[in-house]
Structures are given as structure tokens and as C-alpha cells.
Amino acid sequence: MFTRILIPLDGSKTAEKVLPYARFLAGSLKLPVELLAVVDIVEMATHISADRARHLDTMIEDSVRNSEQYLRGVAGTFPGANTKCTVEKGKAEQVIIETAAADKGTLITMATHGRSGIDRWLLGSVAEKVLRGGTNPMLLVRATEEGKTDGGATWKSIVVPLDGSELAETVLPTVAELANTLKLAVVLFRAYNIPTSAYAGGEGYYAVDYEELLKAMREEAVDYLEKKTEAVKKLGIGKVSCVAKEGFAADEIISLARKFPDNLIAMCTHGRSGVKRWVLGSVTETVVRHSADPVLVIRAS
């Protein structure tokens, strides 16, 4: 499943709001942890005046030293974990992607916000760039005012959105392993709705019985989920349920997850589009941006 956890940090408390989840996973799955800070020299150079430019090398050295000290402090909050601290120079998203890509089993864990400035990178946009450009699995946590940075988190269930495609189902083996190891319940979910094109008139237009169409779509969604529920139970998961809901996928995923305390959402980055499908890539990004729950993103091959 995962071989290590990579945690990019920019020194902000907002970015640290991913740490309780990282501690929970590192402790529960017995995974080594690498804490990563990135010193962006180009960004730093753009924020200093010309008369201070001659001190740039010293400022870089100070930033590296301060980052190392900061990471060592954070490492001390992972009791018993094999923790490594790394400070690199470069563009944050590029360094994160390249560092993780050295081991495809690396789980990148990031908050979706941060602060920008000489010693900060905009973690929100960086997380989005890593999500789009990376190949590793990611755990993304939307930082909120209420979110804590100390201690560990807990999960009770995993909500798994599916769209009927084989690509979307590639998340299931990882979900099964997590659920079995962490003793979590699994909720399989599928949204369905009548596409806008069905309402359009014009040449060749014919009357549509929307109630019948909606009923057929619901029956198909329920039938699909029931079959997948049985398949997932065979993977050894003790508690599996399913929910089908009319509406737009991202909205309904976020709404459903709110009904489950201490919940994780697990999704793939791809899917298929069409009458019976939603584009899982864009849905994933929407859920990451707006969900109050952490989102585990698995790359569909």
C-alpha cells in the first residue's frame, strides 16, 4: 500500500494542520516519515531590495538552517517513528513531486492552504500543482480555523465515491487494506442525475419521461453499488454499506461525508464522462477544495 509518508511543510501553523493525520497514519501503519521544507531561492530574490541582494547567500543559508531546526522540532512530535528531515532548494511543487516519485509507494500528505512570502510558499496552490502533476498517492487536508496541529487524528469510516468505471474502482484495493488495518467501516457512494442535454429541445427533440428516467438511473446505481458491496466484503472488510443519491457528484460526496464523524474520503483522479459517468478528476479537485474531511487521492493507472 504505502512505504513511507512525505510531509511538505512551509513553517506555517496552517500547513501543520495535516500533522495529526500524518501522525495517526505513521503510528497505525508503522511507516517512516520524511519531513520536507523547500527554500525557493527565486522567490526569495524577488522579495529583497537591490541593496540587500549581496546578502542573498547569507539569507539562503539562514533559511536552510532555520528550516532544518524547525523540521527537527516537528520530528519530535512523531514519537517512535523513523523520521527524516530534508531541506531542498527549488520550486516547491517540483521538489515535492520529484522527491516522492523516487518511491511510488510514498504517500504525500499536505494541507491545502499556507502563507506566501520570503520564507513561505503558497501551500494551497502548491498542493493543487502536486495533485495535478504528481504520480504518487496524496492525502489532502483542507486547513480550517478549527483544525488542530498537535496530537493525532482518528477515523471511523471511509467514504468511497464511485462512478461505475473500472478506473474509479482502482481505489478499492487500497481502501480494503486501510479499512482492514485501521478497523474502519466503508461506505460506497454513487451520485446520479439527469444530464442537462436531456432537457434540451430543438430539431429531433422528443418527450422524455423524467420520472421514469430518474427511476431507471437510481435502480442502475443501486444495483451497481450492491454488487460492489458484496465484492468489497469478500476482501475481508467487516462493515460495508452503500448509498446512491441524486445530485451533482461533488456536492453529494461532500454532503454525505458530513454525516459521518471522523471520516476519510478516498477517490481516484480519473473517471469517464457521459450520461452515466462523471469526470472524476474534476470532481476530486472540487471535493479537495471544499470538503471538511481529509481526502485520499489514488492515481488510476
Side-chain angles (χ1 to χ4, degrees):
M1 183 172 49
F2 307 127
T3 55
R4 65 172 180 149
I5 299 176
L6 178 67
I7 310 172
L9 296 169
D10 67 353
S12 69
K13 288 297 180 182
T14 308
E16 290 177 8
K17 291 183 179 179
V18 74
L19 292 176
Y21 300 96
R23 293 188 193 101
F24 170 66
L25 283 177
S28 301
L29 302 180
K30 310 301 181 187
L31 294 175
V33 172
E34 181 173 0
L35 303 174
L36 175 66
V38 182
V39 177
D40 189 333
I41 298 174
V42 174
E43 164 108 358
M44 186 178 292
T46 62
H47 286 82
I48 61 174
S49 59
D51 62 326
R52 296 187 63 196
R54 65 181 182 277
H55 301 299
L56 181 59
D57 288 344
T58 301
M59 293 175 65
I60 293 170
E61 291 175 4
D62 289 343
S63 184
V64 169
R65 185 167 51 252
N66 291 338
S67 295
E68 289 173 344
Q69 183 178 358
Y70 164 72
L71 292 182
R72 285 196 296 271
V74 175
T77 69
F78 283 79
N82 177 10
T83 308
K84 174 184 178 182
C85 299
T86 303
V87 179
E88 298 285 358
K89 300 172 186 175
K91 295 293 292 182
E93 62 272 16
Q94 294 174 358
V95 172
I96 294 167
I97 290 171
E98 291 170 4
T99 302
D103 180 357
K104 65 180 181 180
T106 296
L107 173 66
I108 304 170
T109 64
M110 297 181 70
T112 55
H113 295 87
R115 291 182 291 172
S116 59
I118 292 180
D119 298 318
R120 311 276 188 248
W121 24 272
L122 187 59
L123 198 54
S125 62
V126 170
E128 189 166 283
K129 289 174 182 176
V130 175
L131 176 61
R132 292 179 177 178
T135 57
N136 288 77
M138 294 186 70
L139 178 69
L140 291 159
V141 177
R142 186 169 67 86
T144 63
E145 291 291 334
E146 299 77 22
K148 63 179 184 177
T149 62
D150 58 344
T154 57
W155 289 327
K156 295 179 180 178
S157 59
I158 308 177
V159 169
V160 187
L162 299 170
D163 66 355
S165 70
E166 292 182 0
L167 281 172
E169 293 168 11
T170 58
V171 73
L172 292 175
T174 300
V175 167
E177 192 167 349
L178 272 176
N180 285 324
T181 303
L182 304 179
K183 309 302 180 186
L184 305 177
V186 173
V187 182
L188 303 182
F189 175 75
R190 185 170 177 183
Y192 61 93
N193 63 77
I194 299 175
T196 306
S197 58
Y199 294 90
E203 188 176 351
Y205 172 76
Y206 59 93
V208 176
D209 187 330
Y210 296 111
E211 291 300 324
E212 283 298 317
L213 180 56
L214 204 57
K215 179 182 177 183
M217 295 181 73
R218 174 171 176 77
E219 289 175 350
E220 181 193 15
V222 170
D223 181 64
Y224 166 79
L225 288 174
E226 288 177 346
K227 290 178 179 177
K228 289 303 165 187
T229 297
E230 292 305 312
V232 171
K233 285 181 179 179
K234 292 179 181 178
L235 297 176
I237 302 174
K239 189 175 181 181
V240 186
S241 60
C242 61
V243 177
K245 188 77 165 58
E246 178 191 358
F248 293 104
D251 294 342
E252 298 305 329
I253 293 166
I254 294 168
S255 176
L256 176 70
R258 286 174 180 159
K259 299 177 182 178
F260 294 87
D262 302 320
N263 174 68
L264 169 69
I265 301 173
M267 309 177 67
C268 279
T269 54
H270 297 89
R272 287 181 291 174
S273 59
V275 174
K276 302 174 184 177
R277 307 283 186 254
W278 29 271
V279 184
L280 197 53
S282 62
V283 171
T284 301
E285 290 188 7
T286 302
V287 173
V288 166
R289 288 193 192 107
H290 301 289
S291 174
D293 296 289
V295 182
L296 175 64
V297 180
I298 301 298
R299 312 290 179 175
S301 55

